[in-house]
Each structure stands twice: as structure tokens, then as C-alpha cells.
Amino acid sequence: MSNIVNKNREFLFLFEANLSNPNGDPDQENKPRMDYETDTLLVSNLRRNRDVRDFLKSKGFKIFVDTLNDKKVPMDKMFEAVLDDYLNDEEKMEKMKKLFEKLDIEWFFKGNDYSKEYEDTKKKDQKATTFFNKLLLEIIKDSLIDIRLFGSAMAIKNITKTFTGPIQVSWGYSLHPVELVKSNSITSIMNDDASTFGKVNQVYYALISHYGTINKFAAEKTGMTEDDLDIYRKALIQSIMNNQTASKKGQNPLLYLEILYKEDFDGYIGDLRRFIETEYNEEKPIRKREDINVDFSKLKEILKDMKDHVEKVIIWKNIQLKGNDQYEIEVEGIESCEEDLLNNIKCEE
């Protein structure tokens, strides 16, 4: 495809949690994941990717890492469904023809002429198997957006393949110490003929940040396009806003910042959170965003030093941050644009 991602990027994503549990730890009675030595809240990268996958599924996209009745869908069943969908869709069959052309199968058709070069039947069978495995992988990548975004390991029949995802997201952590709600409040859990009670585990407030990279070389292998990337940005923001379950309500996306590098630059700055500083009154409990001062000065300086390699900076800010000087991150000499990541995500698959 002509719009395969061909430039490296890295991004910063900030969201807040107010009387919420962003990522429960099943080994700790579903309490919020914590580094108790520093009172830092932790959120796994799997939690973030799961939210994105679930949101994309709700919008009509087929995903590889899927569940049915709270159980993971087996790979063979998923592959069978993908192939069946292709074989019964005229538009997708046209795509399949293009995939044939992409894989350069001149040798396969020559084999049907029984030319001397292909007299070895066993060799022909091996080549045919190789070709159809490649074709199946192309169909899987074309059908399943989370393969293109996050990669995956596959093992089924004659196919064993690992795709490294172009989008890699770090564990998130709070930019300040957090405090767990001390209340022993409980919630009712309804069963068939009775109800039981469980504890509600929450933090009072947390400003949390994830760091991520987008790799152009991995994108070429999975087929991730600029359109896919646009869908991912929107899903990252909107999945937080739409995942308002009993434990996740109170979460709110605040900021998405993406550094787009020039095509000839293969590197990254590295974890952008190292260049964010927060200030707060250590004698006063943190209960809301206004209790924390966020300083992006160091990040601005780093971007200024890197401006020869940076094409532009893409920013989305929650409307609640409009006019807030703390979150102004424009850098002289670097083009900056604000994106509307609340547009509707349409599934065209």
C-alpha cells in the first residue's frame, strides 16, 4: 500500500483518574497496581492496548486478540473466520488478487506448465505451501487491524510467525505519589440466586503518563498505514472516554503529543517522561489536577536541540486544558499542529 508509515514517531499520552482504579492487580485483590516504595501508581501496557482493542471491536473492526464469552478466541477459529470472510466478499476477493500480484508468483504458475525446472513434484509442493502460507499471512494482516498496530505471535498448522508491532507502549505511571482511598466501601455482586460483596479499590487522584514509539521498519512488515495510525490515535483517546465501567469511571484523557521525525532519521529521543517535571505541595493531599503543576520546559529544550530531525509535533489537548499555560508545548523552529482526535472512527473493512 502506498501510505505505509515510513517515518519514526514517539508519543506521550497523559490521562487522569479521579476516584478510579485504572489497572487492578489480580494478585492483590484487584487493588490498583502500585510501586509501594514510592507510592507511584502503575498501569500496564496490556491494559492500554486492551482498551484500544475493545474500542475498535465495538466500532466494527475485526481483531486478532479477541474474546468470546470472556474466553480468548483460539487462533485456528480466528483464521478460519478471516478466510471465510474473504472468500464470501467480492471486494475482498479483489484485494486477494492484488495480494497474489504483490507476492510475485510467476514461479507458481510456471509450475503448472510442468516445465523441466519444476519437474520435481515435491519441490513444487513445498513452493506451493510456502506461497499459500505467505498469502494467508497477507490476508490476516489485511483483515486484522491489531496485527498491523501491535503485531503478534502466530502458530497454526504450517504457519509460525512473529510480527513485532510498530506501536510499542510503555507501562504508564503517575507523575506524582498517589493515595489509595482508605474507605472500606463495598459493592454488591449479583449471582444467580444471591449476592455477595466485594471491596471497592480506588485512588483519590492520579495524573498518569504512557510513553510510546512508532517504528517505520516494523510498520513495513505488518502493513500499518497512515490511516491505521490515525485510527489508533483516536482509539487511544476515545477508549479512555468510553470505558466507564464501575472501576474505570473517573478516567479522563488529557494530552496526546506525537513527535514526527523526518524520513531519513531512524532514532528517537527516548522516554519523553524524563523531561516532564511536576510540582505539588507535599504537605497537602493531591485530590485534583489543579493540585499539580506540570512543567514541559525540559522537553521543549530537547525538541529545540532535535529540530533538524523533527518534521513536526502533533498535539491533542482535552478542551479542559484550553488556555492552560502549563500545557503549551509549541517550540520555535518546529511546526506544531493540533489534531481533532474526537472525530468518529469508521470501520471500512
PDB file of all heavy atoms in Angstrom, residues 20 35 101 112 123 126 167 182 205 234:
ATOM      1  N   SER A  20     -10.878   6.301  40.995  1.00  0.00           N
ATOM      2  CA  SER A  20     -10.931   5.270  39.973  1.00  0.00           C
ATOM      3  C   SER A  20      -9.846   4.235  40.231  1.00  0.00           C
ATOM      4  O   SER A  20      -8.970   4.427  41.078  1.00  0.00           O
ATOM      5  CB  SER A  20     -10.741   5.920  38.590  1.00  0.00           C
ATOM      6  OG  SER A  20     -10.771   4.971  37.567  1.00  0.00           O
ATOM      7  N   ASP A  35       3.702   0.903  42.933  1.00  0.00           N
ATOM      8  CA  ASP A  35       5.048   0.776  43.472  1.00  0.00           C
ATOM      9  C   ASP A  35       4.956   1.373  44.876  1.00  0.00           C
ATOM     10  O   ASP A  35       4.957   2.587  45.046  1.00  0.00           O
ATOM     11  CB  ASP A  35       6.044   1.559  42.614  1.00  0.00           C
ATOM     12  CG  ASP A  35       7.448   1.563  43.188  1.00  0.00           C
ATOM     13  OD1 ASP A  35       7.630   1.071  44.327  1.00  0.00           O
ATOM     14  OD2 ASP A  35       8.358   2.097  42.530  1.00  0.00           O
ATOM     15  N   GLU A 101      -0.537 -10.637  -6.833  1.00  0.00           N
ATOM     16  CA  GLU A 101       0.429  -9.874  -7.625  1.00  0.00           C
ATOM     17  C   GLU A 101       1.586  -9.398  -6.751  1.00  0.00           C
ATOM     18  O   GLU A 101       2.743  -9.427  -7.159  1.00  0.00           O
ATOM     19  CB  GLU A 101      -0.270  -8.666  -8.255  1.00  0.00           C
ATOM     20  CG  GLU A 101      -1.346  -9.058  -9.263  1.00  0.00           C
ATOM     21  CD  GLU A 101      -2.181  -7.864  -9.697  1.00  0.00           C
ATOM     22  OE1 GLU A 101      -1.869  -6.733  -9.256  1.00  0.00           O
ATOM     23  OE2 GLU A 101      -3.144  -8.050 -10.468  1.00  0.00           O
ATOM     24  N   ASN A 112       2.664 -25.068 -13.192  1.00  0.00           N
ATOM     25  CA  ASN A 112       1.519 -25.752 -13.793  1.00  0.00           C
ATOM     26  C   ASN A 112       1.779 -26.160 -15.241  1.00  0.00           C
ATOM     27  O   ASN A 112       1.012 -26.910 -15.828  1.00  0.00           O
ATOM     28  CB  ASN A 112       0.284 -24.849 -13.726  1.00  0.00           C
ATOM     29  CG  ASN A 112      -0.178 -24.667 -12.293  1.00  0.00           C
ATOM     30  OD1 ASN A 112       0.041 -25.540 -11.470  1.00  0.00           O
ATOM     31  ND2 ASN A 112      -0.793 -23.534 -11.995  1.00  0.00           N
ATOM     32  N   LYS A 123       9.309 -30.599  -4.753  1.00  0.00           N
ATOM     33  CA  LYS A 123       9.761 -29.204  -4.711  1.00  0.00           C
ATOM     34  C   LYS A 123       8.609 -28.264  -5.035  1.00  0.00           C
ATOM     35  O   LYS A 123       8.444 -27.217  -4.426  1.00  0.00           O
ATOM     36  CB  LYS A 123      10.905 -29.004  -5.711  1.00  0.00           C
ATOM     37  CG  LYS A 123      11.522 -27.617  -5.679  1.00  0.00           C
ATOM     38  CD  LYS A 123      12.691 -27.543  -6.659  1.00  0.00           C
ATOM     39  CE  LYS A 123      13.317 -26.151  -6.645  1.00  0.00           C
ATOM     40  NZ  LYS A 123      14.433 -26.057  -7.612  1.00  0.00           N
ATOM     41  N   GLN A 126       6.334 -27.953  -2.020  1.00  0.00           N
ATOM     42  CA  GLN A 126       6.929 -27.101  -0.997  1.00  0.00           C
ATOM     43  C   GLN A 126       6.767 -25.628  -1.353  1.00  0.00           C
ATOM     44  O   GLN A 126       6.441 -24.786  -0.515  1.00  0.00           O
ATOM     45  CB  GLN A 126       8.413 -27.456  -0.816  1.00  0.00           C
ATOM     46  CG  GLN A 126       8.644 -28.803  -0.139  1.00  0.00           C
ATOM     47  CD  GLN A 126      10.115 -29.165  -0.088  1.00  0.00           C
ATOM     48  OE1 GLN A 126      10.939 -28.595  -0.824  1.00  0.00           O
ATOM     49  NE2 GLN A 126      10.450 -30.123   0.753  1.00  0.00           N
ATOM     50  N   ILE A 167       3.724  -0.164  16.940  1.00  0.00           N
ATOM     51  CA  ILE A 167       3.391   0.667  18.097  1.00  0.00           C
ATOM     52  C   ILE A 167       3.753  -0.089  19.366  1.00  0.00           C
ATOM     53  O   ILE A 167       3.231  -1.176  19.631  1.00  0.00           O
ATOM     54  CB  ILE A 167       1.895   1.022  18.110  1.00  0.00           C
ATOM     55  CG1 ILE A 167       1.540   1.851  16.878  1.00  0.00           C
ATOM     56  CG2 ILE A 167       1.540   1.798  19.383  1.00  0.00           C
ATOM     57  CD1 ILE A 167       0.070   2.190  16.749  1.00  0.00           C
ATOM     58  N   LYS A 182      -8.995   5.165  51.615  1.00  0.00           N
ATOM     59  CA  LYS A 182      -8.913   4.376  52.848  1.00  0.00           C
ATOM     60  C   LYS A 182     -10.248   3.744  53.230  1.00  0.00           C
ATOM     61  O   LYS A 182     -10.319   2.889  54.087  1.00  0.00           O
ATOM     62  CB  LYS A 182      -8.418   5.254  53.991  1.00  0.00           C
ATOM     63  CG  LYS A 182      -7.010   5.785  53.801  1.00  0.00           C
ATOM     64  CD  LYS A 182      -6.569   6.590  55.021  1.00  0.00           C
ATOM     65  CE  LYS A 182      -5.120   7.040  54.892  1.00  0.00           C
ATOM     66  NZ  LYS A 182      -4.916   7.993  53.805  1.00  0.00           N
ATOM     67  N   TYR A 205      -6.736  10.445  43.379  1.00  0.00           N
ATOM     68  CA  TYR A 205      -6.453  11.143  42.121  1.00  0.00           C
ATOM     69  C   TYR A 205      -5.078  10.711  41.621  1.00  0.00           C
ATOM     70  O   TYR A 205      -4.143  10.501  42.403  1.00  0.00           O
ATOM     71  CB  TYR A 205      -6.463  12.665  42.299  1.00  0.00           C
ATOM     72  CG  TYR A 205      -6.186  13.380  40.991  1.00  0.00           C
ATOM     73  CD1 TYR A 205      -7.213  13.615  40.082  1.00  0.00           C
ATOM     74  CD2 TYR A 205      -4.893  13.775  40.629  1.00  0.00           C
ATOM     75  CE1 TYR A 205      -6.968  14.226  38.860  1.00  0.00           C
ATOM     76  CE2 TYR A 205      -4.637  14.379  39.416  1.00  0.00           C
ATOM     77  CZ  TYR A 205      -5.671  14.601  38.527  1.00  0.00           C
ATOM     78  OH  TYR A 205      -5.425  15.193  37.319  1.00  0.00           O
ATOM     79  N   LYS A 234      -7.053   8.055  17.611  1.00  0.00           N
ATOM     80  CA  LYS A 234      -8.423   8.331  18.053  1.00  0.00           C
ATOM     81  C   LYS A 234      -8.907   7.283  19.046  1.00  0.00           C
ATOM     82  O   LYS A 234      -9.581   7.603  20.029  1.00  0.00           O
ATOM     83  CB  LYS A 234      -9.348   8.396  16.837  1.00  0.00           C
ATOM     84  CG  LYS A 234      -9.064   9.582  15.924  1.00  0.00           C
ATOM     85  CD  LYS A 234      -9.930   9.553  14.673  1.00  0.00           C
ATOM     86  CE  LYS A 234      -9.634  10.743  13.772  1.00  0.00           C
ATOM     87  NZ  LYS A 234     -10.435  10.712  12.518  1.00  0.00           N
TER      88      LYS A 234
END
